[in-house]
Amino acid sequence: MVRRGLVAWLPRMVLLLVVLCCMVSVLYMLACTPRGENQQLSFPRVNSPTGKEEYQAILQEREEHHWDYINSLKRQIAELKDELQQRSEQLKNIQGHNTDSMGVVGIDQGNAEKPQKALLQYFHSQMDRAEIHTGVKLPNEYAAIPFESFTLQKVYQLEMGLTRHPEEKPARKDKRDELTEAIELGLETLNSPASSSGPNHRTYSSSDFIEGIHRTERDKGTLYELTFKGDKGYEFKRIVLFRPFGPIMKIKNENLNMAHTLINVIVPLAKRASKFRQFMENFREMGIQQDRRIHLTVVYFGKDQMSEVKGILENTSRSANFKNYTFIQLNEEFSRGKGLDVGARFWKGSNVVLFFCDVDIYFTAEFLNTCRLNTQPGKKVFYPVLFSQYNPGLIYGHHNSIPPIEQQLVIRKDTGFWRDFGFGMTCQYRSDYINIGGFDLDIKGWGGEDVHLYRKYLHSNLMVIRTPVRGLFHLWHEKHCLDELTPEQYKMCIQSKAMNEASHGQLGMLVFRREIEAHRRKQKTINKKT
């Protein structure tokens, strides 16, 4: 009887266990179903919409939740901006009462609250670590951070790529706002009561701004150097600002007088008389007629074409009444480093700015002032990045349509590129060149000597100012690849030649010119039939 009872109850117990397992599973699924703050279960109810309507309702509910989250973030950002603005105003008030005669911000140890003092101390520690007052020793040229230069309308930058341009006009909004803020603070500094002492003081405006440079050190902040017109053509105002990832801080307010700052332009040369004639036309207009504070030293190697070169120099001297030149002749194999070194050491006058230049370089009078403003004995050397011209025959299509040199010198992506791999054109005081040890005279011919000198300056305590400049151009000249080169060297020479011939898009048009012509012929045929 007992066995029969167990057999009869066993199916019922199994069924009961199955029902219990199902209920537990359903409860577990309900408990683990994710839900938002006000979100309902995703299981449809008896009276809920189904299919497309249910899907749209879920999407709308999630979208509303998403916008609530965005609005919450916006409120937090607005609160943070308000707090940052309040801190900025507090710091400006402190800075206004603690700026010394040189324009360096001080810390008010007595009146500032502890949080404000701690913040100011942090900003000053960032400023002390940054390369502002003295140079920082760098291991190589890859560690150097270049500046960007800018005017009111344009920003000149090195990060080109295929979609970037050597200049931005106008700059993108975030950069434009940043630079505008710096310029406005510079004008506010110039027009402040502390700077306006004197009966002949004038009010400065944005039209007085000449140019500026800026760069960001990722772990320190952004440095700005702004140059404004002075009362006379050779006088300038320089404002130095620093943004230590916080409010901009005023560092310096300088008056610069360049009336007696002479530049000695040193040009090493061998043959190339026609290029020298073109160079002297530019030198006469920009250096002699406009700048007038300039000396020219030509170091000539060999005797081939020497009389022609010397005659060009003497004719310019007579016609322009220009006596500030030196001609040095060396009977040896050409060496650019040797020529520049001889020219620098030959100078017997007082300390002078040396501008190492090549015969295929075009410069403006504005660049000569930029050269002066970015050099300081024992403090700064200037390594401008010049704009290298593409082949005018390819740019303008036909030799008969090539405009004069002055009209070709336009900074655009299709006319040239920043020669950021070149370090040959440089400005430094003669004393710094002598103290650093000058060029490596064991290097013969072209190339190598410029990088060697650049590294010397990077390893020193001098500040190296490297930035693209709008008034210095490398004129295009044909590059010859010699038959004596090995196949690998010849290939590298051709690659270098291609870089200097035209832009990526222009070279592409040359490669596909047959396809383009074929397409034109087909279109003409189709048009005739129709």
Side-chain angles (χ1 to χ4, degrees), residues 461-478:
N461 290 321
L462 296 173
M463 288 184 64
V464 178
I465 306 298
R466 182 156 176 80
T467 182
V469 292
R470 55 198 169 102
L472 190 63
F473 296 86
H474 178 269
L475 302 180
W476 179 86
H477 58 84
E478 187 173 359

Side-chain angles (χ1 to χ4, degrees), residues 481-482 484-495:
C481 296
L482 303 177
E484 292 79 9
L485 297 175
T486 65
E488 185 62 28
Q489 289 176 326
Y490 192 84
K491 180 181 177 181
M492 292 175 63
C493 182
I494 292 295
Q495 289 175 342

Side-chain angles (χ1 to χ4, degrees), residues 165-215:
H165 294 269
E167 66 173 12
E168 285 189 357
K169 181 187 178 183
R172 63 180 188 266
K173 186 178 185 305
D174 58 338
K175 181 176 290 187
R176 185 168 65 248
D177 293 344
E178 172 196 352
L179 299 180
T180 300
E181 180 185 1
I183 294 172
E184 289 177 350
L185 183 56
L187 291 172
E188 178 184 324
T189 303
L190 291 175
N191 294 322
S192 65
S195 302
S196 60
S197 58
N200 298 324
H201 178 76
R202 62 186 176 89
T203 302
Y204 290 86
S205 65
S206 58
S207 61
D208 294 310
F209 177 68
I210 300 175
E211 64 180 353
I213 59 175
H214 77 106
R215 72 174 177 185

Side-chain angles (χ1 to χ4, degrees), residues 365-385:
E366 289 79 9
F367 167 75
L368 296 176
N369 276 327
T370 302
C371 179
R372 292 183 179 95
L373 291 169
N374 286 289
T375 53
Q376 187 178 354
K379 293 285 187 180
K380 289 181 180 181
V381 294
F382 185 41
Y383 271 84
V385 181

Side-chain angles (χ1 to χ4, degrees), residues 102-256:
M102 292 299 292
V104 181
V105 180
I107 301 176
D108 186 353
Q109 299 289 346
N111 299 325
E113 297 179 359
K114 289 183 178 181
Q116 296 172 349
K117 289 199 297 184
L119 193 58
L120 270 178
Q121 288 172 352
Y122 168 74
F123 287 160
H124 276 271
S125 68
Q126 291 290 91
M127 185 176 65
D128 293 338
R129 291 172 57 234
E131 193 175 12
I132 298 176
H133 301 292
T134 59
V136 176
K137 293 182 179 181
L138 300 174
N140 52 52
E141 60 270 27
Y142 303 105
I145 303 175
F147 287 83
E148 287 186 353
S149 58
F150 60 94
T151 62
L152 287 176
Q153 293 82 23
K154 298 180 180 180
V155 176
Y156 302 91
Q157 58 197 8
L158 291 182
E159 297 85 356
M160 289 175 57
L162 297 181
T163 59
R164 299 291 296 274
H165 294 269
E167 66 173 12
E168 285 189 357
K169 181 187 178 183
R172 63 180 188 266
K173 186 178 185 305
D174 58 338
K175 181 176 290 187
R176 185 168 65 248
D177 293 344
E178 172 196 352
L179 299 180
T180 300
E181 180 185 1
I183 294 172
E184 289 177 350
L185 183 56
L187 291 172
E188 178 184 324
T189 303
L190 291 175
N191 294 322
S192 65
S195 302
S196 60
S197 58
N200 298 324
H201 178 76
R202 62 186 176 89
T203 302
Y204 290 86
S205 65
S206 58
S207 61
D208 294 310
F209 177 68
I210 300 175
E211 64 180 353
I213 59 175
H214 77 106
R215 72 174 177 185
T216 299
E217 297 181 67
R218 295 179 180 177
D219 58 339
K220 300 176 184 69
T222 303
L223 175 66
Y224 308 86
E225 292 191 6
L226 312 176
T227 303
F228 296 85
K229 297 176 185 177
D231 296 328
K232 298 181 180 179
Y234 48 80
E235 293 180 350
F236 301 91
K237 301 280 188 179
R238 174 185 283 158
I239 304 296
V240 180
L241 308 171
F242 185 66
R243 188 198 299 270
F245 302 117
I248 298 182
M249 305 175 73
K250 292 174 283 188
I251 307 299
K252 289 182 183 179
N253 180 2
E254 298 178 310
N255 296 317
L256 303 174

Side-chain angles (χ1 to χ4, degrees), residues 37-84:
E37 296 176 355
N38 300 316
Q39 194 175 8
Q40 297 176 349
L41 295 176
S42 57
F43 291 102
R45 298 193 182 97
V46 176
N47 298 324
S48 64
T50 59
K52 182 178 179 180
E53 294 180 355
E54 180 183 6
Y55 183 68
Q56 290 177 344
I58 294 174
L59 285 179
Q60 184 177 359
E61 186 176 1
R62 291 185 178 179
E63 184 177 2
E64 291 175 355
H65 179 70
H66 175 70
W67 281 112
D68 290 341
Y69 181 67
I70 290 177
N71 292 331
S72 174
L73 289 178
K74 287 182 177 179
R75 286 193 298 271
Q76 295 178 34
I77 292 172
E79 291 172 359
L80 289 173
K81 284 184 176 180
D82 292 340
E83 184 176 353
L84 181 59

